[in-house]
Amino acid sequence: MSDASTTKSGGIPNPLAWIGRGTLALFAEIGRLSLFSGRTALSALIPPWNLTQLWKQIIAIGFYSLPVVGLSAVFIGAALALNIYTGGNRFGAEQFVPNIVVLGITRELGATITGLMLAGRVTAGIAAEIGAMKVTEQIDALKTLSANPFRYLYAPRFLAAALTLPILVLIADIIGVMGGWLVSVYALDFDSTTYLRNTIDFLTMEDVVVGLIKAVIFGMVIALMGCYQGSKSSAGATGVGRAATLSMVGAAVLVLAANYILSTFFVQIGI
Amino acid sequence: MTQPILELKGVQKGFGSNHVLRGVDIDVAPGRSLVVLGGSGSGKSVMLKNALGLMTPDAGKILFDGKDVTKDQGKAREAMRSRVGMLFQSGALFDSLTVWENVAFRLLNADGMKRTDAKEQAVETLKKVRLGASVADLRPAEISGGMQKRVALARAIITEPDLIFFDEPTTGLDPITADAINDLIIEQVKALGAAAVTITHDMASARKVADEIAMLFEGKIIWRGPASEIDRSGNDHVDQFVHGRADGPIQPAL
Ligand SMILES: Nc1ncnc2c1ncn2[C@@H]1O[C@H](COP(=O)(O)OP(=O)(O)O)[C@@H](O)[C@H]1O
Ligand SMILES: [Mg+2]
């Protein structure tokens, strides 16, 4: 038999060759992404900072995400309260609704929902913007004008996302808890004062901080995926569209993976 | 012989199995205008990007003012770039900034100039490319293609560079606007005393702006001579290109 290790021979592709190539490509991609992330983080940490760009990005990433984050949080909080009530009902534990809502929102859902919504709104937006700049030679133009894209484009987005995500998550926490309270009081006949007192009694600083630390990491992931995919997007509208899609899917998966890893870590250290 | 401002020695660049540049040798003397001809996809833009350090050659050297800048990074690279202007094929204006902020980009960012001073200088430079102060506060998307080219030209000349690259400056413009852009390029390059490297496939532009013409084909410079000799090059490839014939040694890129 002749050498049939590649698909060229027309038969079934050799699965080992396929897996080998895939693995190599994956490691190469992880390497490039890590290098890109490292350079972006360094540019973000070491002054001088481009404050004009940073402020623009804080508005674009933080302020304009408020409606999306607020709406998502109120619905998640409301649905959570309903489900805990129904589930708790089965063994007479429905009075724990406020406790579980505040725990679930602060430790987990506030950050995750904000992270996922911004993986859509912000990551895809960054990737499309940077991608369009790449294919219209604006990134090359930046370099010839002695502006480093890492400092001028990527670092401000990275910093803005890492700084504003915790604030957005804090707002999502408040609105999420409020969503649970609304449903409990108006649909499930909870007493408003008791509900709020239970919420406050059960609320801990640690749970809130866990969510906020997650938020910082999610912010970094969201900005990095958008910048990275945009910066290597290929020519044409399809290239930019592809970059936006890839970045969004990548950011969403990485947010969930990071959430799991961070949750494990916090449980391990006993917070 | 004077020291060339720019010299490419055996520059090679490929993307996977696509060997675009296969040993490009060319040089430009200070204050001279060189036009490089070549078909679409022949690697003209890639050649410029290697010269500017936007791409690193796989082999060969780039000398700027006699100094090897092939692998330069950071400060050394900035030192070269501050003396070079570039007009991109697509204009490459920053669409989030106003016209004057585009023109003054280097002054505002790399040089840290005050905004009022930078704007004054930008408006002054816009005047040189026949644009009034009224366009200064518009965005690139609000002005015509010909005006965008002028703004890009203003951005390339504002810091009075010693060498300017023009990547197909007239592509996508009607013949009259194209001619006006050519006139502006000649006028401004002369006024600065700068050297110019223009790449184009537009023969009318080439005749107009060139002191010297070279032809890039299959990754190499296959002919070079004074602009006045382009019609008697004695080279079949050049003849075919000059007369725009589909049949000849060069296969049309379809
Ligand atoms: N960044 C890149 N990655 C891969 N291939 C490229 C890249 N830039 C240019 N090429 C390829 O190099 C060849 C020459 O391109 P270019 O220099 O843009 O041609 P032109 O002479 O029309 O300016 C083309 O085949 C193009 O596909
Ligand atoms: Mg080109």
Short mmCIF file of all heavy atoms in Angstrom, two decimals, chain A residues 43-87:
data_model
loop_
_atom_site.label_atom_id
_atom_site.label_comp_id
_atom_site.label_asym_id
_atom_site.label_seq_id
_atom_site.Cartn_x
_atom_site.Cartn_y
_atom_site.Cartn_z
N SER A 43 1.33 46.38 28.63
CA SER A 43 1.03 47.74 28.17
C SER A 43 -0.02 48.39 29.05
O SER A 43 -0.04 49.62 29.20
CB SER A 43 0.54 47.72 26.73
OG SER A 43 1.44 47.05 25.90
N ALA A 44 -0.91 47.57 29.62
CA ALA A 44 -1.96 48.13 30.47
C ALA A 44 -1.43 48.52 31.84
O ALA A 44 -1.91 49.46 32.47
CB ALA A 44 -3.10 47.12 30.62
N LEU A 45 -0.40 47.78 32.31
CA LEU A 45 0.10 48.02 33.67
C LEU A 45 1.17 49.10 33.73
O LEU A 45 1.29 49.80 34.72
CB LEU A 45 0.66 46.71 34.25
CG LEU A 45 -0.40 45.64 34.51
CD1 LEU A 45 0.23 44.35 35.00
CD2 LEU A 45 -1.42 46.15 35.54
N ILE A 46 1.96 49.21 32.65
CA ILE A 46 3.08 50.15 32.69
C ILE A 46 2.67 51.48 32.07
O ILE A 46 2.20 51.52 30.94
CB ILE A 46 4.29 49.55 31.93
CG1 ILE A 46 4.71 48.23 32.58
CG2 ILE A 46 5.45 50.53 31.92
CD1 ILE A 46 5.70 47.43 31.76
N PRO A 47 2.82 52.59 32.81
CA PRO A 47 2.51 53.90 32.24
C PRO A 47 3.49 54.23 31.11
O PRO A 47 4.52 53.59 31.02
CB PRO A 47 2.65 54.86 33.42
CG PRO A 47 3.41 54.13 34.47
CD PRO A 47 3.32 52.67 34.18
N PRO A 48 3.25 55.21 30.27
CA PRO A 48 2.12 56.14 30.30
C PRO A 48 0.83 55.51 29.78
O PRO A 48 0.86 54.68 28.88
CB PRO A 48 2.59 57.25 29.35
CG PRO A 48 3.48 56.55 28.37
CD PRO A 48 4.16 55.46 29.14
N TRP A 49 -0.30 55.92 30.37
CA TRP A 49 -1.58 55.44 29.89
C TRP A 49 -2.20 56.45 28.95
O TRP A 49 -2.01 57.66 29.12
CB TRP A 49 -2.53 55.19 31.06
CG TRP A 49 -2.12 54.05 31.90
CD1 TRP A 49 -2.15 52.73 31.56
CD2 TRP A 49 -1.59 54.10 33.22
NE1 TRP A 49 -1.66 51.96 32.59
CE2 TRP A 49 -1.31 52.77 33.62
CE3 TRP A 49 -1.32 55.14 34.12
CZ2 TRP A 49 -0.79 52.45 34.86
CZ3 TRP A 49 -0.78 54.82 35.36
CH2 TRP A 49 -0.53 53.49 35.72
N ASN A 50 -2.93 55.95 28.00
CA ASN A 50 -3.64 56.84 27.09
C ASN A 50 -5.02 57.12 27.69
O ASN A 50 -5.97 56.38 27.48
CB ASN A 50 -3.75 56.18 25.72
CG ASN A 50 -4.22 57.15 24.66
OD1 ASN A 50 -5.03 58.03 24.94
ND2 ASN A 50 -3.70 57.00 23.46
N LEU A 51 -5.09 58.19 28.50
CA LEU A 51 -6.30 58.42 29.29
C LEU A 51 -7.51 58.77 28.43
O LEU A 51 -8.64 58.38 28.76
CB LEU A 51 -6.05 59.52 30.33
CG LEU A 51 -5.00 59.14 31.38
CD1 LEU A 51 -4.75 60.29 32.35
CD2 LEU A 51 -5.42 57.88 32.15
N THR A 52 -7.27 59.46 27.30
CA THR A 52 -8.39 59.78 26.41
C THR A 52 -9.05 58.50 25.91
O THR A 52 -10.28 58.35 25.95
CB THR A 52 -7.87 60.56 25.19
OG1 THR A 52 -6.80 61.39 25.59
CG2 THR A 52 -8.96 61.37 24.55
N GLN A 53 -8.20 57.57 25.44
CA GLN A 53 -8.73 56.30 24.93
C GLN A 53 -9.38 55.50 26.04
O GLN A 53 -10.43 54.89 25.85
CB GLN A 53 -7.61 55.48 24.29
CG GLN A 53 -7.09 56.03 22.97
CD GLN A 53 -8.19 56.09 21.93
OE1 GLN A 53 -8.97 55.16 21.78
NE2 GLN A 53 -8.27 57.19 21.20
N LEU A 54 -8.76 55.51 27.23
CA LEU A 54 -9.29 54.75 28.35
C LEU A 54 -10.69 55.25 28.70
O LEU A 54 -11.62 54.45 28.88
CB LEU A 54 -8.36 54.88 29.57
CG LEU A 54 -8.82 54.14 30.83
CD1 LEU A 54 -8.93 52.65 30.56
CD2 LEU A 54 -7.86 54.39 31.99
N TRP A 55 -10.85 56.55 28.75
CA TRP A 55 -12.15 57.12 29.11
C TRP A 55 -13.20 56.76 28.06
O TRP A 55 -14.31 56.32 28.39
CB TRP A 55 -12.04 58.63 29.29
CG TRP A 55 -13.34 59.25 29.70
CD1 TRP A 55 -14.09 60.13 28.97
CD2 TRP A 55 -14.07 59.00 30.90
NE1 TRP A 55 -15.23 60.45 29.66
CE2 TRP A 55 -15.24 59.77 30.84
CE3 TRP A 55 -13.84 58.20 32.03
CZ2 TRP A 55 -16.20 59.77 31.87
CZ3 TRP A 55 -14.78 58.19 33.05
CH2 TRP A 55 -15.94 58.98 32.96
N LYS A 56 -12.84 56.87 26.78
CA LYS A 56 -13.76 56.49 25.69
C LYS A 56 -14.23 55.05 25.87
O LYS A 56 -15.39 54.73 25.68
CB LYS A 56 -13.03 56.57 24.33
CG LYS A 56 -13.13 57.90 23.63
CD LYS A 56 -12.62 57.75 22.19
CE LYS A 56 -12.40 59.11 21.55
NZ LYS A 56 -11.71 59.02 20.26
N GLN A 57 -13.29 54.16 26.22
CA GLN A 57 -13.62 52.75 26.34
C GLN A 57 -14.45 52.47 27.59
O GLN A 57 -15.31 51.59 27.58
CB GLN A 57 -12.35 51.88 26.34
CG GLN A 57 -11.62 51.89 25.01
CD GLN A 57 -12.54 51.52 23.85
OE1 GLN A 57 -13.40 50.64 23.98
NE2 GLN A 57 -12.39 52.19 22.72
N ILE A 58 -14.19 53.21 28.67
CA ILE A 58 -15.00 53.02 29.88
C ILE A 58 -16.46 53.35 29.56
O ILE A 58 -17.38 52.63 29.97
CB ILE A 58 -14.44 53.89 31.03
CG1 ILE A 58 -13.15 53.24 31.55
CG2 ILE A 58 -15.47 54.02 32.16
CD1 ILE A 58 -12.48 54.00 32.68
N ILE A 59 -16.67 54.41 28.80
CA ILE A 59 -18.04 54.76 28.40
C ILE A 59 -18.61 53.68 27.49
O ILE A 59 -19.73 53.19 27.70
CB ILE A 59 -18.04 56.14 27.68
CG1 ILE A 59 -17.54 57.24 28.60
CG2 ILE A 59 -19.44 56.46 27.16
CD1 ILE A 59 -18.38 57.50 29.82
N ALA A 60 -17.84 53.29 26.47
CA ALA A 60 -18.34 52.33 25.48
C ALA A 60 -18.62 50.97 26.11
O ALA A 60 -19.64 50.33 25.84
CB ALA A 60 -17.35 52.19 24.33
N ILE A 61 -17.70 50.50 26.95
CA ILE A 61 -17.82 49.15 27.51
C ILE A 61 -18.70 49.15 28.74
O ILE A 61 -19.58 48.31 28.89
CB ILE A 61 -16.43 48.58 27.85
CG1 ILE A 61 -15.60 48.40 26.57
CG2 ILE A 61 -16.55 47.25 28.60
CD1 ILE A 61 -14.17 47.98 26.81
N GLY A 62 -18.49 50.12 29.63
CA GLY A 62 -19.21 50.12 30.91
C GLY A 62 -20.58 50.75 30.82
O GLY A 62 -21.60 50.08 30.98
N PHE A 63 -20.59 52.03 30.48
CA PHE A 63 -21.84 52.78 30.55
C PHE A 63 -22.91 52.22 29.61
O PHE A 63 -24.05 51.97 30.01
CB PHE A 63 -21.56 54.25 30.23
CG PHE A 63 -22.75 55.13 30.39
CD1 PHE A 63 -23.24 55.44 31.65
CD2 PHE A 63 -23.41 55.63 29.27
CE1 PHE A 63 -24.35 56.24 31.80
CE2 PHE A 63 -24.52 56.44 29.42
CZ PHE A 63 -25.00 56.74 30.68
N TYR A 64 -22.53 51.97 28.36
CA TYR A 64 -23.53 51.50 27.40
C TYR A 64 -23.95 50.05 27.62
O TYR A 64 -24.85 49.55 26.94
CB TYR A 64 -23.04 51.73 25.97
CG TYR A 64 -23.09 53.20 25.60
CD1 TYR A 64 -21.93 53.92 25.32
CD2 TYR A 64 -24.30 53.87 25.57
CE1 TYR A 64 -21.98 55.27 25.02
CE2 TYR A 64 -24.36 55.23 25.27
CZ TYR A 64 -23.20 55.93 25.00
OH TYR A 64 -23.26 57.26 24.71
N SER A 65 -23.31 49.34 28.55
CA SER A 65 -23.75 47.98 28.85
C SER A 65 -24.78 47.96 29.96
O SER A 65 -25.37 46.91 30.24
CB SER A 65 -22.54 47.12 29.27
OG SER A 65 -21.67 46.97 28.19
N LEU A 66 -24.99 49.10 30.62
CA LEU A 66 -25.91 49.13 31.76
C LEU A 66 -27.30 48.56 31.43
O LEU A 66 -27.81 47.73 32.18
CB LEU A 66 -26.03 50.55 32.31
CG LEU A 66 -24.87 50.99 33.22
CD1 LEU A 66 -24.98 52.46 33.57
CD2 LEU A 66 -24.84 50.14 34.49
N PRO A 67 -27.95 48.97 30.33
CA PRO A 67 -29.30 48.44 30.06
C PRO A 67 -29.32 46.92 29.92
O PRO A 67 -30.16 46.24 30.53
CB PRO A 67 -29.68 49.10 28.74
CG PRO A 67 -28.79 50.28 28.59
CD PRO A 67 -27.53 49.96 29.34
N VAL A 68 -28.38 46.40 29.14
CA VAL A 68 -28.32 44.96 28.91
C VAL A 68 -28.11 44.20 30.22
O VAL A 68 -28.80 43.21 30.52
CB VAL A 68 -27.17 44.65 27.92
CG1 VAL A 68 -26.60 43.28 28.14
CG2 VAL A 68 -27.65 44.81 26.50
N VAL A 69 -27.18 44.70 31.03
CA VAL A 69 -26.86 44.03 32.29
C VAL A 69 -28.05 44.12 33.25
O VAL A 69 -28.44 43.13 33.87
CB VAL A 69 -25.58 44.65 32.91
CG1 VAL A 69 -25.40 44.20 34.35
CG2 VAL A 69 -24.38 44.27 32.07
N GLY A 70 -28.65 45.30 33.35
CA GLY A 70 -29.78 45.48 34.26
C GLY A 70 -30.95 44.58 33.91
O GLY A 70 -31.51 43.89 34.77
N LEU A 71 -31.30 44.55 32.61
CA LEU A 71 -32.44 43.72 32.18
C LEU A 71 -32.17 42.24 32.41
O LEU A 71 -33.03 41.51 32.90
CB LEU A 71 -32.73 43.97 30.70
CG LEU A 71 -33.53 45.23 30.40
CD1 LEU A 71 -33.60 45.47 28.90
CD2 LEU A 71 -34.94 45.10 30.99
N SER A 72 -30.95 41.78 32.05
CA SER A 72 -30.63 40.37 32.24
C SER A 72 -30.71 40.02 33.71
O SER A 72 -31.25 38.96 34.08
CB SER A 72 -29.22 40.06 31.74
OG SER A 72 -29.00 40.64 30.49
N ALA A 73 -30.19 40.90 34.57
CA ALA A 73 -30.13 40.59 35.99
C ALA A 73 -31.52 40.50 36.60
O ALA A 73 -31.81 39.60 37.39
CB ALA A 73 -29.30 41.65 36.72
N VAL A 74 -32.41 41.40 36.23
CA VAL A 74 -33.74 41.39 36.84
C VAL A 74 -34.48 40.10 36.46
O VAL A 74 -35.12 39.46 37.29
CB VAL A 74 -34.55 42.66 36.47
CG1 VAL A 74 -35.12 42.61 35.08
CG2 VAL A 74 -35.67 42.89 37.49
N PHE A 75 -34.33 39.64 35.23
CA PHE A 75 -35.02 38.42 34.81
C PHE A 75 -34.41 37.18 35.45
O PHE A 75 -35.14 36.27 35.85
CB PHE A 75 -35.00 38.28 33.28
CG PHE A 75 -35.93 39.27 32.62
CD1 PHE A 75 -35.47 40.11 31.61
CD2 PHE A 75 -37.26 39.36 33.01
CE1 PHE A 75 -36.32 41.02 31.00
CE2 PHE A 75 -38.12 40.28 32.41
CZ PHE A 75 -37.65 41.11 31.41
N ILE A 76 -33.08 37.15 35.56
CA ILE A 76 -32.44 36.00 36.20
C ILE A 76 -32.83 35.92 37.67
O ILE A 76 -33.17 34.85 38.19
CB ILE A 76 -30.90 36.10 36.04
CG1 ILE A 76 -30.49 35.60 34.67
CG2 ILE A 76 -30.18 35.30 37.12
CD1 ILE A 76 -30.62 34.11 34.48
N GLY A 77 -32.83 37.07 38.35
CA GLY A 77 -33.21 37.09 39.77
C GLY A 77 -34.64 36.62 39.96
O GLY A 77 -34.94 35.81 40.84
N ALA A 78 -35.53 37.08 39.08
CA ALA A 78 -36.95 36.72 39.18
C ALA A 78 -37.15 35.22 38.94
O ALA A 78 -37.84 34.54 39.70
CB ALA A 78 -37.75 37.54 38.17
N ALA A 79 -36.49 34.71 37.88
CA ALA A 79 -36.64 33.29 37.55
C ALA A 79 -36.06 32.42 38.66
O ALA A 79 -36.63 31.39 39.04
CB ALA A 79 -35.95 32.98 36.22
N LEU A 80 -34.93 32.87 39.20
CA LEU A 80 -34.27 32.12 40.27
C LEU A 80 -35.22 31.99 41.47
O LEU A 80 -35.42 30.91 42.03
CB LEU A 80 -32.98 32.84 40.67
CG LEU A 80 -32.09 32.16 41.69
CD1 LEU A 80 -31.59 30.83 41.15
CD2 LEU A 80 -30.89 33.04 42.05
N ALA A 81 -35.84 33.11 41.87
CA ALA A 81 -36.75 33.09 43.02
C ALA A 81 -37.91 32.11 42.78
O ALA A 81 -38.24 31.30 43.65
CB ALA A 81 -37.28 34.50 43.26
N LEU A 82 -38.48 32.18 41.57
CA LEU A 82 -39.59 31.28 41.25
C LEU A 82 -39.18 29.82 41.36
O LEU A 82 -39.87 28.99 41.95
CB LEU A 82 -40.06 31.53 39.81
CG LEU A 82 -41.18 32.53 39.59
CD1 LEU A 82 -41.52 32.59 38.11
CD2 LEU A 82 -42.42 32.13 40.41
N ASN A 83 -38.03 29.49 40.78
CA ASN A 83 -37.59 28.10 40.76
C ASN A 83 -37.23 27.59 42.15
O ASN A 83 -37.54 26.44 42.50
CB ASN A 83 -36.38 27.94 39.83
CG ASN A 83 -36.81 27.97 38.38
OD1 ASN A 83 -37.82 27.36 38.01
ND2 ASN A 83 -36.09 28.70 37.56
N ILE A 84 -36.60 28.44 42.95
CA ILE A 84 -36.25 28.01 44.30
C ILE A 84 -37.52 27.80 45.12
O ILE A 84 -37.65 26.84 45.89
CB ILE A 84 -35.34 29.04 45.00
CG1 ILE A 84 -34.00 29.11 44.28
CG2 ILE A 84 -35.12 28.68 46.46
CD1 ILE A 84 -33.21 30.33 44.64
N TYR A 85 -38.48 28.67 44.89
CA TYR A 85 -39.75 28.54 45.59
C TYR A 85 -40.41 27.21 45.25
O TYR A 85 -40.81 26.44 46.12
CB TYR A 85 -40.67 29.70 45.23
CG TYR A 85 -41.98 29.66 45.96
CD1 TYR A 85 -42.09 30.13 47.27
CD2 TYR A 85 -43.13 29.14 45.35
CE1 TYR A 85 -43.28 30.08 47.95
CE2 TYR A 85 -44.34 29.08 46.02
CZ TYR A 85 -44.40 29.55 47.32
OH TYR A 85 -45.59 29.51 48.00
N THR A 86 -40.52 26.92 43.95
CA THR A 86 -41.15 25.68 43.50
C THR A 86 -40.39 24.46 44.00
O THR A 86 -40.96 23.50 44.51
CB THR A 86 -41.21 25.63 41.96
OG1 THR A 86 -41.47 26.93 41.49
CG2 THR A 86 -42.26 24.67 41.48
N GLY A 87 -39.06 24.52 43.86
CA GLY A 87 -38.23 23.39 44.29
C GLY A 87 -38.29 23.23 45.81
O GLY A 87 -38.47 22.12 46.32
#
